[in-house]
Amino acid sequence: MASQHSTQEQLLEAIMDRMIPAVGDLPSAGQMGLFDEIVRLAAKQKRFENLFHSAMAAFESNIPDFLTSSESVQDENLKTFELNNPEHFNTIRTIVYIVYYKDSRVHKRIGWDGNPPQPQGYEMDPWDESVLVNARKREPFWRKV
Amino acid sequence: MTSNHGSKDMTVDVLIIGAGASGAAAAASLSEAGFKVKCLEQGFWQDPSKYASASADYDFEMLTNWSVDPNKRQLDEDYPINIDNSPVTPVMFNGVGGSTILWTAHTPRFHPSDFRVKTLDGVADDWPLTYEDIEDYYDRNDEVMGCSGINGDPANPPRKPRQMPPLPIGSDGMRLINAFEKLDWHWWPSDNYINSEPYGEGRDACNFCGHVHMGCFKRAKASTDLTYWPRALNNGAVIETGARVRRVTTNSSGTATGADYVDAKGVERHQPARSVVMAANGIGTARLLLLSKSDSHPDGLANSSGLVGKNLMFHPFAMITGVFPEKMNTWQGPLSNFAMSQEFYETDKSRGFVRGYTYQFQRSLGPGWVANGGFTNAIPWGDNHHEELEKRLGSMMAIAVIGDDLPELHNSVDLDPDLTDSDGIPAPRITYTLSQNSRDLLDHGIKNATKVFETAGATNIYVDPLMRQSGWHLMGTARMGEDSSNSVVDKWGQAHDVDNLFIIDGSVFVTGAAVNPTPTIQALALRTADYIITNRNDLRG
Ligand SMILES: Cc1cc2nc3c(=O)[nH]c(=O)nc-3n(C[C@H](O)[C@H](O)[C@H](O)COP(=O)(O)OP(=O)(O)OC[C@H]3O[C@@H](n4cnc5c(N)ncnc54)[C@H](O)[C@@H]3O)c2cc1C
Ligand code: SF4
């Protein structure tokens, strides 16, 4: 189990490195220690967890030498997988993006206040009726019957 | 929450199936008039303080446990839906409050012309009632649900003042609105059943969290578990949750006698009733009627016309997304429907199609949602990833085209021969094809929305010509009419074939109009309840 886990971890991290490259002072996504969070999150729903494991299994069997390939070959492999296995690819990309963009280091870099939407919510300027000045000039045009 | 009303006689006057938008409205009205009301609901009560918008995992939850698509959510109380033959996926919620738990609460009314499409445009059928027949019920419903909005819209008939002022437009909203004004096209702040200020028992004002389609933590969005149900329960109505109805039962003369259901513990039960009101939505009701075959109703209950499950309408729905060069914090404010345009609502045959559409103005959400595409494709992986995220976050807005849907026999709900829910009950199967009229209408809407984004200065524009996950309006599968050979219920929602069976959800719609349906569904539910109260004393025990 432990070695299976680490193979999947290595493979996913390699995929993540190609999906989300290093930026600013952040390393590429595979180097950010996000694997455990991906596994935790995926396990929150059986359906998604199954999809995730099948997607990883499909990736592994389609591209057995991904880990040992050069970056440019890895990019080609990923493009081919995206084209031929869009649903599996989508599953992997979805969870990778979600986990990357819930990380506080990423929030700091993109200037995102990392709180969930509630309970704080956000602020907006109050409703201002003067925005209707032009719209109110129009005569009624609904169709009478 | 089970009760036998404290009496030995388990028979209720009115058994309502489904505790959503329509079931709740009817339950409150009928119980207030002294009818003994029980509702069977397959789902459960929700606790707003546990809604996923307050969890750090909200982006994941939105796609899984809180997905609007029951096939993705897969809770025990959901039922699967076969969508292999439909380009549109039906979405809904199953629980007390029904789909209003997840709805975006945009609440426009039908236009008077929507009830007269045959007379005016020579298509489909006229409704057996008029705008004026339900106007008071619209008002009554607004009062309970709480409407934010403002009078003076030139695209709609004048009406009573709303309960609250509109939700704020924001600088992002103004960007789109200015473009509409430059093009000399109509726009107006949307009516929403969202509190712009505190309204209703324990219901706060919206705090603009955006995630309106995941249940409202602030109780600012009106879902019927917060509006009608407390009233109904106070009047003595009862809901049994976790109660999944298998079939409506009938006696040898074909009269409805109650329903067989599986309770929360998996025990098979029967609930006797003097009348049955179907409120399981445009898919759930058709499914149940088809499941309720008997010797007196060999093709399904109330189906002598053969129209149960036919004429399914969703509203054709396209989404146009624009990215602006400026940051406008477009994640602030309810994701959907802060304003709308009905410039192209009424028929103009020179456009090459009949009927029309509404534009609904949409915002955006946070980085996880934006990265995964929002209303368009996911941002690319690889070298351009960061640059593209930077471009879109806080700068992306969308315009939805929601078109009138006209009934077509082949668009339908029937029973899947193989697929079942967790109680082994056959699941619904959807067959839906977009008509040429709908395609032409959407294309017209896409072309003009693109013009809006160009006028507003968007740098990138993306088009989803038919949004898959847009089957939120479920209509037409047990339509109303005067003629029993061409409709399932009469203008009061009473089944032509069974005089103690009523249908009050979107199934009864004759046509779809080009607006969200729920105020109309609830107005009709209240009207049916009034009909029962006034004319059906025989149903009281
Ligand atoms: C994401 C989303 C956004 C939406 N946005 C809007 C909007 O902005 N404006 C608008 O007007 N409308 C909107 N809608 C649609 C709106 O929610 C529905 O029109 C409305 O809730 C329909 O009311 P109803 O009573 O017919 O059915 P529902 O509210 O769907 O309730 C039906 C209930 O019946 C129960 N049921 C079904 N079968 C059984 C059974 N066999 N046994 C027991 N119980 C059963 C279900 O569990 C459910 O609770 C939206 C919907 C969704 C999902
Ligand atoms: S945006 Fe407003 S109405 Fe919508 S969920 Fe948030 S607080 Fe509730």
Side-chain angles (χ1 to χ4, degrees):
Chain A
M1 187 71 199
S3 69
Q4 220 178 45
H5 181 269
S6 67
T7 312
Q8 196 181 71
E9 181 170 357
Q10 278 175 30
L11 182 59
L12 186 60
E13 286 178 351
I15 295 171
M16 290 167 76
D17 281 339
R18 301 315 308 147
M19 279 188 169
I20 309 185
V23 61
D25 56 0
L26 289 183
S28 51
Q31 307 308 306
M32 288 178 63
L34 300 174
F35 181 77
D36 287 349
E37 178 61 1
I38 289 183
V39 170
R40 183 194 71 81
L41 215 49
K44 285 188 92 174
Q45 198 205 33
K46 201 83 224 142
R47 178 191 70 88
F48 190 88
E49 191 177 33
N50 291 338
L51 286 176
F52 174 65
H53 288 305
S54 341
M56 288 304 294
F59 192 92
E60 205 172 341
S61 69
N62 272 279
I63 315 166
D65 48 2
F66 188 80
L67 278 174
T68 52
S69 301
S70 67
E71 288 182 351
S72 58
V73 171
Q74 285 183 334
D75 284 353
E76 283 313 309
N77 288 159
L78 267 173
K79 278 182 203 152
T80 311
F81 189 70
E82 181 175 18
L83 198 70
N84 297 339
N85 300 274
E87 284 178 13
H88 285 323
F89 182 85
N90 192 27
T91 301
I92 297 172
R93 182 185 51 202
T94 300
I95 188 87
V96 166
Y97 281 6
I98 286 178
V99 169
Y100 184 79
Y101 285 105
K102 79 191 285 284
D103 189 88
S104 57
R105 291 163 291 179
V106 177
H107 293 164
K108 195 166 158 225
R109 194 192 75 78
I110 62 175
W112 177 252
D113 130 14
N115 296 314
Q118 292 289 1
Q120 290 94 330
Y122 304 112
E123 278 183 16
M124 289 185 80
D125 290 338
W127 161 251
D128 169 10
E129 201 168 333
S130 68
V131 299
L132 285 174
V133 164
N134 294 329
R136 281 204 189 281
K137 290 183 190 147
R138 179 110 178 231
E139 290 297 316
F141 66 100
W142 52 278
R143 195 173 177 191
K144 310 228 168 33
V145 287
Chain B
M1 198 177 295
T2 315
S3 153
N4 62 7
H5 290 272
S7 85
K8 284 208 180 97
D9 180 9
M10 295 281 289
T11 306
V12 294
D13 297 339
V14 183
L15 175 64
I16 298 177
I17 301 175
S22 59
S29 202
L30 290 164
S31 57
E32 191 180 340
F35 281 81
K36 192 163 142 186
V37 174
K38 178 166 179 178
C39 175
L40 295 176
E41 166 54 54
Q42 65 191 341
F44 300 92
W45 287 93
Q46 303 301 312
D47 175 354
S49 70
K50 303 223 164 71
Y51 283 147
S53 53
S55 150
D57 298 343
Y58 62 96
D59 275 323
F60 179 80
E61 296 288 356
M62 200 190 322
L63 299 177
T64 53
N65 302 307
W66 281 95
S67 170
V68 296
D69 174 356
N71 287 345
K72 293 194 175 142
R73 199 169 53 230
Q74 294 191 356
L75 303 178
D76 275 352
E77 58 265 38
D78 290 321
Y79 53 86
I81 304 176
N82 181 338
I83 53 164
D84 292 348
N85 291 317
S86 173
V88 177
T89 299
V91 298
M92 63 178 73
F93 189 77
N94 298 308
V96 179
S99 303
T100 66
I101 297 292
L102 299 185
W103 74 331
T104 52
H106 182 42
T107 51
R109 295 180 179 185
F110 275 34
H111 288 205
S113 60
D114 289 322
F115 298 92
R116 288 285 169 274
V117 301
K118 177 86 173 175
T119 305
L120 295 172
D121 298 325
V123 288
D125 275 304
D126 289 345
W127 287 57
L129 45 76
T130 64
Y131 178 85
E132 290 71 27
D133 288 332
I134 62 167
E135 195 174 1
D136 284 350
Y137 295 101
Y138 274 132
D139 290 341
R140 266 173 58 185
N141 194 55
D142 280 1
E143 194 70 37
V144 179
M145 299 292 277
C147 187
S148 58
I150 192 160
N151 266 358
D153 178 7
N156 279 276
R159 54 189 256 203
K160 283 194 179 152
R162 279 70 164 176
Q163 287 66 38
M164 291 162 274
L167 292 160
I169 300 284
S171 60
D172 52 353
M174 284 315 296
R175 183 105 189 204
L176 286 186
I177 283 163
N178 289 337
F180 271 87
E181 292 198 346
K182 260 193 207 153
L183 292 163
D184 224 3
W185 289 348
H186 166 263
W187 78 274
W188 200 255
S190 291
D191 286 316
N192 284 294
Y193 286 167
I194 291 179
N195 285 0
S196 58
E197 53 194 39
Y199 183 86
E201 188 72 32
R203 297 189 45 225
D204 214 335
C206 169
N207 69 357
F208 315 121
C209 82
H211 286 254
V212 81
H213 53 294
M214 288 174 75
C216 181
F217 181 92
K218 296 285 282 181
R219 301 167 191 249
K221 180 180 78 169
S223 46
T224 58
D225 56 329
L226 305 176
T227 56
Y228 278 111
W229 275 117
R231 290 172 187 233
L233 298 184
N234 207 26
N235 296 333
V238 170
I239 306 184
E240 183 172 339
T241 57
R244 178 174 268 149
V245 174
R246 264 185 196 288
R247 70 181 69 82
V248 176
T249 52
T250 47
N251 61 19
S252 55
S253 54
T255 302
T257 54
D260 290 340
Y261 69 102
V262 190
D263 77 7
K265 295 195 173 118
V267 179
E268 299 284 344
R269 296 198 180 272
H270 177 71
Q271 174 61 54
R274 278 175 272 278
S275 65
V276 175
V277 171
M278 304 299 297
N281 83 32
I283 289 180
T285 286
R287 174 194 186 207
L288 273 175
L289 294 176
L290 293 173
L291 283 165
S292 304
K293 279 186 186 162
S294 63
D295 289 345
S296 25
H297 302 282
D299 299 320
L301 188 56
N303 195 20
S304 65
S305 65
L307 290 178
V308 168
K310 306 288 189 201
N311 297 311
L312 171 68
M313 296 174 283
F314 283 130
H315 283 141
F317 203 92
M319 192 68 95
I320 303 89
T321 299
V323 180
F324 293 97
E326 291 82 26
K327 293 284 166 215
M328 298 182 290
N329 293 1
T330 51
W331 59 80
Q332 297 175 341
L335 175 64
S336 303
N337 309 326
F338 58 91
M340 58 102 184
S341 167
Q342 293 189 330
E343 183 66 32
F344 305 101
Y345 194 90
E346 306 284 3
T347 296
D348 173 347
K349 287 193 176 147
S350 71
R351 295 180 196 139
F353 55 88
V354 286
R355 312 301 301 149
Y357 56 89
T358 297
Y359 280 133
Q360 300 177 337
F361 302 4
Q362 323 278 329
R363 295 193 173 87
S364 190
L365 294 173
W369 188 81
V370 169
N372 276 310
F375 294 124
T376 179
N377 296 331
I379 64 172
W381 56 271
D383 290 342
N384 295 334
H385 180 84
H386 298 293
E387 192 189 330
E388 193 59 28
L389 191 278
E390 169 63 21
K391 263 196 213 158
R392 293 197 205 177
L393 181 63
S395 305
M396 199 160 80
M397 300 195 75
I399 298 178
V401 184
I402 167 175
D404 198 343
D405 215 347
L406 297 173
E408 292 175 86
L409 273 180
H410 57 87
N411 289 337
S412 61
V413 178
D414 68 356
L415 298 177
D416 193 275
D418 305 311
L419 194 66
T420 63
D421 65 23
S422 55
D423 290 306
I425 305 172
R429 175 174 66 178
I430 308 299
T431 306
Y432 188 86
T433 327
L434 193 72
S435 71
Q436 194 54 49
N437 192 69
S438 295
R439 187 63 270 161
D440 293 344
L441 175 158
L442 288 179
D443 288 344
H444 188 272
I446 290 167
K447 199 168 124 219
N448 282 332
T450 305
K451 208 183 274 181
V452 172
F453 276 119
E454 285 165 357
T455 308
T459 45
N460 293 74
I461 299 168
Y462 305 94
V463 173
D464 184 346
L466 178 65
M467 197 169 146
R468 177 165 256 295
Q469 206 169 266
S470 67
W472 22 59
H473 305 151
L474 310 170
M475 304 169 291
T477 48
R479 70 179 186 163
M480 59 165 60
E482 307 284 6
D483 176 357
S484 61
S485 69
N486 193 24
S487 56
V488 178
V489 297
D490 68 13
K491 65 179 174 183
W492 304 106
Q494 180 175 310
H496 291 302
D497 298 351
V498 186
D499 86 343
N500 66 341
L501 178 75
F502 299 84
I503 304 179
I504 59 169
D505 53 43
S507 314
V508 303
F509 279 30
V510 181
T511 55
V515 289
N516 316 56
T518 311
T520 308
I521 291 175
Q522 291 184 297
L524 291 173
L526 292 173
R527 185 169 180 267
T528 296
D530 261 13
Y531 174 80
I532 295 173
I533 292 164
T534 314
N535 297 288
R536 298 301 302 268
N537 248 320
D538 60 306
L539 300 177
R540 292 180 196 261

